[in-house]
Amino acid sequence: MMISQELAQYQLPDLEDPFTTSEIHELFSFFQPEQQSIKSTSSLESIPLVYSIEEKKRKRMKSNRESAKRSRWRKKRHLENLTTEADHLKLENRKLKNQLCMMTNEYHLVQRDTNWLTVECIELQQRLAGLYQILLTMQLC
């Protein structure tokens, strides 16, 4: 009785925004252990928390597996894309090398023709010079 008289002497402070009943029940629900269908001793009351931690671990493991699977899939697709691109570039490189070879051959043919024409031009100039000399000698005689 003495405790209740002492409590009666104290007044609760007036709160500007007191909690509603539903808010108070919600707050207290955090401190109350979850109801179990099987009655257990106080040492087994921690099982729901362990279960929820285990459940979180399982969910995280599942999520990590799925993420790893997606990552492996993306890596595989990326590798396939790079392989396809490498094959395409090799083909293009082969085509360019063939074109270079053809152009080099054409260059050598044109260079050979140019050299032949240059030699022929020199020979013709020499023949023309000889003909001029013959003509000059004929005119002088």
Side-chain angles (χ1 to χ4, degrees), residues 11-135:
Q11 289 183 339
L12 294 174
D14 290 333
L15 298 174
E16 292 179 10
D17 294 333
F19 291 111
T20 64
T21 307
S22 62
E23 291 173 333
I24 292 172
H25 286 295
E26 185 177 339
L27 286 172
F28 281 131
S29 70
F30 291 119
F31 299 106
Q32 296 174 349
E34 293 182 17
Q35 297 276 336
Q36 289 182 337
S37 59
I38 301 173
K39 299 291 181 186
S40 61
T41 62
S42 62
S43 65
L44 296 177
E45 287 179 0
S46 63
I47 291 175
L49 294 177
V50 172
Y51 179 75
S52 65
I53 292 172
E54 290 295 322
E55 185 64 29
K56 286 181 184 178
K57 283 183 183 178
R58 270 187 255 135
K59 285 181 181 179
R60 183 172 301 279
M61 286 175 63
K62 182 180 178 184
S63 173
N64 287 346
R65 278 190 209 108
E66 291 171 356
S67 176
K69 186 177 180 180
R70 287 190 304 270
S71 177
R72 286 190 301 271
W73 182 81
R74 282 192 304 270
K75 184 177 179 181
K76 182 180 176 183
R77 294 293 301 158
H78 183 64
L79 183 62
E80 288 172 356
N81 290 341
L82 289 176
T83 304
T84 302
E85 185 178 356
D87 291 342
H88 174 73
L89 290 173
K90 285 177 185 177
L91 181 64
E92 185 177 349
N93 191 22
R94 190 177 313 133
K95 286 179 182 178
L96 290 173
K97 282 182 178 180
N98 288 340
Q99 284 181 351
L100 177 64
C101 186
M102 286 175 37
M103 292 295 165
T104 304
N105 287 338
E106 286 184 33
Y107 168 78
H108 289 300
L109 290 175
V110 169
Q111 186 67 36
R112 187 190 72 197
D113 289 346
T114 303
N115 291 339
W116 182 80
L117 289 173
T118 303
V119 169
E120 190 176 351
C121 180
I122 292 171
E123 287 176 357
L124 289 173
Q125 285 176 349
Q126 288 174 353
R127 281 179 71 189
L128 185 62
L131 289 173
Y132 276 137
Q133 281 183 353
I134 292 173
L135 216 104

